[in-house]
Amino acid sequence: MASGIDTAFLRSSDLFENQPDEVLKAVLLQGRLEEYGPGQVVFEQGDQGDRLYIVKSGALEVLASFSDGADPVPVAYLGPGEVLGELALLTGSPRSASVRAPEHAELFTVEKSVFLDFMKTLPAFARNLCLVLAKRLEATTLKVPRGAKQLQGNLRFFDLATVIQTLIGSHQTGSLVVVQEGGKNRIAELFFFKGNIAKAKVRHLTGDDAVFQLFQSPLEGEFSFTGRQVQEEEVQADITMPAISLLMESVRLQDELPLLQERIPDADRQLRQKASQLDWQDAETVELAAAVWSRLKKGASMNDLHRDVPRCSYALYRTVVTLLDSGQIE
């Protein structure tokens, strides 16, 4: 029995919005509050569904295995007010995914019999459940709820790429921020507008390169996403690609980067100009090549280039490897 708990978190859930206080209090009396620590599993893919869960605080990671024997991969994150476990109760089918708590989380749970009783006695509950299912189908992923600081956690436990994919798939508008040193050092900020990444800054990088670098050099720290209402004319974008194209390109560069890094395994190795002048034929990347060439005049390492030339790791390594292969540097 979850008595003595504020009903506000239930009201933030799509299932119980617009319900009077007396109904919410009655719901609390028929459920219970459960706490989960970092890494603790709520349920496993394939388990039989015996209860409904509503996130009261913290966040949950949803993992799924898409073939027999395959390792489960993160597919979504859920924050306060989110509902999970309802499909297994409705259909009687096994759980379609595993859920765990990357950090501390509080979940309000109701048994299957109570859930079915709600369906019979609370018409608004049944209607809202249909709305929740419709939104799931529309977004093809579990959405992040609206409200301030909807999703937050430590990147030791969360996969940032999956967080980004979740925000894109759920058509969010707001800011995703990564901080270190208890919030004193903001190292990354991505602004989303209707599911597209409109603006990005990661340390000294901006735009497309900032997003690429997130995939090429994983960050450490605390992250939080805050949704807000923004008019389209207020958006000052520096991203040149639609969200899906940006993610596909990010993954491609991430996959190819290790092959380039094998050519220069020592990031502290000093590189310098060998030719008398730069010979570069690609007009699209000549500006980057010139910046790298200039920095190598007195000698520089890959670590130096990362610090001084504002481009992602892939772009820098590809440029340097091309210069090495053409004999222009040594």
Side-chain angles (χ1 to χ4, degrees):
M1 180 180 296
S3 58
I5 301 175
D6 190 352
T7 60
F9 83 94
L10 280 181
R11 197 177 299 282
S12 70
S13 168
D14 287 340
L15 279 183
F16 293 101
E17 64 179 358
N18 302 322
Q19 291 283 1
D21 283 340
E22 55 268 25
V23 170
L24 298 182
K25 291 177 181 177
V27 169
L28 286 178
L29 291 174
Q30 298 183 72
R32 69 183 184 189
L33 197 63
E34 297 181 354
E35 295 191 16
Y36 291 82
Q40 191 171 354
V41 174
V42 179
F43 55 74
E44 298 273 10
Q45 185 172 349
D47 287 351
Q48 288 299 314
D50 60 354
R51 66 187 63 191
L52 174 80
Y53 299 84
I54 301 172
V55 183
K56 181 179 183 294
S57 67
L60 298 178
E61 182 179 50
V62 183
L63 306 103
S65 177
F66 297 101
S67 61
D68 291 340
D71 292 333
V73 295
V75 295
Y77 292 99
L78 305 176
E82 284 284 8
V83 178
L84 63 154
E86 76 290 341
L87 279 177
L89 297 185
L90 287 170
T91 65
S93 58
R95 302 288 193 191
S96 59
S98 300
V99 173
R100 74 178 188 97
E103 297 183 298
H104 180 265
E106 292 181 301
L107 307 182
F108 177 72
T109 74
V110 294
E111 300 291 336
K112 182 176 182 178
S113 59
V114 176
F115 170 81
L116 296 177
D117 186 56
F118 288 163
M119 293 285 289
K120 295 177 182 177
T121 60
L122 298 176
F125 178 86
R127 289 195 300 269
N128 290 344
L129 180 60
C130 291
L131 178 62
V132 169
L133 296 177
K135 288 181 178 179
R136 294 271 174 90
L137 290 173
E138 179 183 14
T140 67
T141 186
L142 302 177
K143 73 179 184 66
V144 177
R146 300 185 184 279
K149 285 214 172 171
Q150 304 153 346
L151 187 61
Q152 55 189 324
N154 192 300
L155 291 176
R156 289 179 298 168
F157 308 110
F158 287 82
D159 175 32
L160 185 58
T162 304
V163 173
I164 292 172
Q165 292 171 16
T166 300
L167 296 173
I168 290 172
S170 53
H171 310 293
Q172 293 296 310
T173 295
S175 295
L176 176 66
V177 175
V178 179
V179 299
Q180 293 177 339
E181 300 177 13
K184 296 179 181 178
N185 183 20
R186 178 176 293 198
I187 59 174
E189 181 170 5
L190 274 66
F191 176 71
F192 293 77
F193 182 72
K194 296 182 178 179
N196 275 304
I197 302 175
K199 195 175 183 67
K201 179 176 176 59
V202 178
R203 294 194 172 95
H204 65 301
L205 301 180
T206 59
D208 297 353
D209 274 87
V211 179
F212 296 155
Q213 193 64 24
L214 287 175
F215 286 75
Q216 295 166 25
S217 180
L219 298 178
E220 295 181 353
E222 303 281 337
F223 76 90
S224 64
F225 175 77
T226 303
R228 56 193 177 98
Q229 297 295 322
V230 177
Q231 299 299 317
E232 187 168 0
E233 55 269 21
E234 299 178 53
V235 178
Q236 298 179 343
D238 61 10
I239 298 294
T240 65
M241 301 181 185
I244 299 303
S245 299
L246 185 65
L247 287 181
M248 292 177 64
E249 183 68 359
S250 296
V251 172
R252 183 184 73 82
L253 300 185
Q254 179 188 40
D255 290 342
E256 294 182 8
L257 177 60
L259 299 177
L260 296 173
Q261 290 174 321
E262 288 178 3
R263 298 289 307 280
I264 314 172
D266 182 4
D268 289 319
R269 170 188 169 185
Q270 288 293 303
L271 303 160
R272 63 187 68 253
Q273 295 178 2
K274 182 179 179 181
S276 58
Q277 62 182 16
L278 175 66
D279 179 15
W280 196 270
Q281 303 301 318
D282 184 8
E284 290 187 3
T285 57
V286 67
E287 184 177 350
L288 169 60
V292 171
W293 176 259
S294 176
R295 184 62 182 82
L296 294 179
K297 183 176 182 179
K298 295 182 179 180
S301 67
M302 290 305 304
N303 285 333
D304 294 330
L305 292 175
H306 275 100
R307 183 189 66 238
D308 299 335
V309 182
R311 294 298 301 273
C312 70
S313 295
Y314 173 86
L316 293 174
Y317 270 95
R318 185 186 63 178
T319 302
V320 171
V321 167
T322 301
L323 290 171
L324 281 170
D325 288 345
S326 61
Q328 298 184 66
I329 64 173
E330 58 184 3

